[in-house]
Amino acid sequence: MIFTGQVIIMARKKSILILCTIMLIAFSFPLSQMSTATDGIENVQLHMPVESIFFNDANQMVMITGFWHILEFDVPSAMDASMELTKGIDRYEWTYNEGAWNELEHNLFIDQTKCSFNGERILFWIAVDQSAIPGIWHLAVNAGELKSEQDIELRERTGGVGFSTADFLIAVPPYTQMQVETADTGQYARVHNEDVVPVNVDFFIDNDNCIMIPGERTLSPLSMGEYSLVYSSNPLTSQRQEFGGEVLITYKYVGPSIGTAQLIPSYNYPFDIIIFVGDPDLEFVEADEYTVQYVTSVRMASNETRTFPLILDGQGDIDLDINGIGCTVSSIELNGVEVDMPYHLELAGDRSETFNIMVEPIITSGNASLVYQINGDQYTTVIEIDSTGELQEKITENYSGYLNKVLPPAVIGVLIVGILMMLYKRRRRVKS
């Protein structure tokens, strides 16, 4: 037991000796050898204005060539500072010295009016030329005896900007004060910023009654903006207006360039806007004295009766006649009152006149037509007669009759079989 205790005591002394040796070695190193790449300069950040820091897969900050960036960091007190960005022989250097801001290598890639220092945090507004070599560069920041060093990535602008929209169609009723927003009908213009830098979005429309409601004028990298159109107008007669619009997409924070011309593109996308005052489901024709809206073609069953609208608008005398070919015009009503053809009316210019025409086919297949004669002009509704509609109705009627005849006996049969099976099982249980 005594021998074992001595071994344990010796082992403990040896462990303490090893621990003391490790601590002595650690504290014998100079403090400079134990410091990290950041020595006294804290919270170094490089990013585009307003945007967050962009990191690559190696967790290095990314700077886009040809665009303004903010490089900012904390210092414990007011002091001069300098920054160097190098890759081989390529070099940029920025300085803050007694209140003056400079970019030494080119005297170009700094905006002194936007740089600032509040005694604790320095903010440089800087850029590198758009032709700077992409890749990993070394960033060294110095303020007095303080310093910070790290690698960052210079990257070219990538991706692009896209625009998607169907042409805007706004349908409004005539003679009505209106304000219509295309968002209510799911019509939007969409700008897709697929690039790594922010863009500005500006719309221009050739009509003072139309405005585009922006989601965001400035789109951040890799984002989408959605915009709807608002149309406001005093009461209008039935008509169709067509005019154009354009979206201009430009990059924000474009920096200076050593070359004579910038290579940063802008994008223009045109689009059309149609204002339809009337019924968008009807054909619209504008003549000299009037406008007419009517159905151009339709499909009907041979045993079907249907009512078609004919809408007249304008100002002046109208002579109207309506006839059917392959179909019978059962009745024609104007404002709920039945009228005969031919018919004369005077368009007052302050309202639309709607005729409701009831039609019944007299042929079982083929094409019938409804012909409108208006002041010597002719318009036609082509009616395709579908005999399968009558056949389908008969099939449905026969099938329903079949179910009415067959289903009750079938239900009764199922009930009888169920009762017999139940009695049979009960009898077997009694016997057992």
Side-chain angles (χ1 to χ4, degrees):
M1 289 292 297
I2 296 175
F3 178 76
T4 303
Q6 291 176 344
V7 171
I8 295 173
I9 292 172
M10 292 177 64
R12 287 179 178 175
K13 289 182 178 180
K14 185 176 181 180
S15 299
I16 293 172
L17 180 62
I18 293 173
L19 180 59
C20 291
T21 302
I22 292 174
M23 293 176 66
L24 180 62
I25 293 174
F27 282 105
S28 66
F29 279 99
L31 291 177
S32 60
Q33 293 181 350
M34 294 187 64
S35 65
T36 63
T38 298
D39 187 359
I41 296 180
E42 301 294 337
N43 200 17
V44 178
Q45 296 184 2
L46 175 67
H47 57 89
M48 298 191 74
V50 183
E51 302 297 327
S52 302
I53 301 174
F54 181 21
F55 292 99
N56 62 13
D57 293 339
N59 203 34
Q60 297 166 328
M61 292 186 292
V62 176
M63 185 177 189
I64 308 301
T65 60
F67 289 85
W68 289 114
H69 288 68
I70 292 173
L71 197 150
E72 54 185 322
F73 51 89
D74 293 334
V75 291
S77 60
M79 59 181 65
D80 294 342
S82 65
M83 300 183 304
E84 288 185 353
L85 185 62
T86 56
K87 180 179 175 65
I89 61 174
D90 295 320
R91 181 172 181 270
Y92 292 84
E93 183 177 1
W94 299 272
T95 63
Y96 172 73
N97 189 351
E98 297 182 354
W101 308 84
N102 291 285
E103 189 268 301
L104 301 182
E105 292 296 313
H106 311 89
N107 194 30
L108 182 65
F109 297 103
I110 190 169
D111 188 341
Q112 292 95 339
T113 64
K114 296 180 180 178
C115 297
S116 64
F117 186 22
N118 63 6
E120 296 180 353
R121 188 158 184 82
I122 298 178
L123 187 152
F124 285 84
W125 191 287
I126 63 172
V128 299
D129 192 71
Q130 56 188 324
S131 62
I133 300 173
I136 304 302
W137 289 56
H138 186 70
L139 174 65
V141 179
N142 296 278
E145 298 298 322
L146 308 178
K147 64 182 179 179
S148 172
E149 295 189 33
Q150 61 183 300
D151 289 335
I152 69 167
E153 180 186 356
L154 282 193
R155 185 179 295 186
E156 293 179 322
R157 179 190 62 81
T158 59
V161 180
F163 179 71
S164 63
T165 182
D167 293 337
F168 288 100
L169 172 61
I170 300 175
V172 296
Y175 306 106
T176 305
Q177 187 86 18
M178 67 196 77
Q179 179 170 310
V180 180
E181 185 175 348
T182 60
D184 296 335
T185 55
Q187 299 179 77
Y188 295 94
R190 294 178 174 89
V191 177
H192 307 264
N193 184 10
E194 299 170 355
D195 218 321
V196 293
V197 292
V199 297
N200 276 342
V201 181
D202 294 288
F203 286 91
F204 305 93
I205 300 174
D206 300 333
N207 189 302
D208 293 337
N209 293 328
C210 277
I211 61 172
M212 191 68 75
I213 297 181
E216 292 291 341
R217 181 175 183 264
T218 298
L219 290 183
S220 295
L222 307 176
S223 66
M224 183 190 76
E226 197 169 63
Y227 310 84
S228 63
L229 190 70
V230 174
Y231 177 75
S232 304
S233 176
N234 294 323
L236 297 172
T237 61
S238 296
Q239 58 186 277
R240 180 187 177 98
Q241 302 178 15
E242 294 189 35
F243 46 90
E246 181 184 62
V247 60
L248 173 64
I249 304 171
T250 54
Y251 285 97
K252 292 198 68 174
Y253 310 121
V254 177
S257 175
I258 297 175
T260 57
Q262 288 285 349
L263 301 178
I264 308 299
S266 61
Y267 300 89
N268 297 73
Y269 296 100
F271 56 93
D272 292 325
I273 301 169
I274 300 172
I275 307 297
F276 190 83
V277 185
D279 190 333
D281 296 326
L282 300 179
E283 179 71 11
F284 178 85
V285 178
E286 190 170 9
D288 292 337
E289 307 89 0
Y290 63 89
T291 61
V292 57
Q293 299 176 68
Y294 66 101
V295 178
T296 56
S297 62
V298 71
R299 190 175 185 182
M300 290 179 60
S302 57
N303 61 344
E304 182 182 357
T305 300
R306 191 177 298 187
T307 299
F308 297 95
L310 176 72
I311 304 174
L312 295 176
D313 197 356
Q315 191 166 9
D317 292 336
I318 294 293
D319 291 312
L320 172 66
D321 197 10
I322 302 174
N323 294 285
I325 301 174
C327 60
T328 299
V329 178
S330 303
S331 66
I332 301 174
E333 291 186 355
L334 173 62
N335 299 324
V337 178
E338 189 168 348
V339 297
D340 296 324
M341 292 290 121
Y343 188 80
H344 178 84
L345 76 157
E346 184 176 346
L347 297 176
D350 59 355
R351 66 181 185 275
S352 300
E353 304 289 355
T354 301
F355 292 85
N356 291 310
I357 308 152
M358 184 175 291
V359 176
E360 297 179 19
I362 58 176
I363 61 176
T364 57
S365 63
N367 287 339
S369 58
L370 198 58
V371 180
Y372 318 98
Q373 296 284 344
I374 306 173
N375 285 3
D377 300 324
Q378 181 173 300
Y379 309 93
T380 304
T381 297
V382 178
I383 305 172
E384 181 185 352
I385 307 301
D386 180 12
S387 62
T388 60
E390 181 181 2
L391 180 62
Q392 182 62 39
E393 183 177 341
K394 289 182 178 179
I395 292 173
T396 303
E397 180 181 354
N398 292 338
Y399 182 71
S400 300
Y402 173 80
L403 291 179
N404 291 334
K405 293 178 182 179
V406 174
L407 189 57
V411 172
I412 294 173
V414 171
L415 291 174
I416 292 174
V417 171
I419 292 171
L420 291 175
M421 289 295 294
M422 182 179 65
L423 292 173
Y424 175 75
K425 291 180 179 179
R426 182 178 294 178
R427 186 176 179 183
R428 290 190 62 184
R429 286 199 298 268
V430 171
K431 287 183 177 181
S432 60

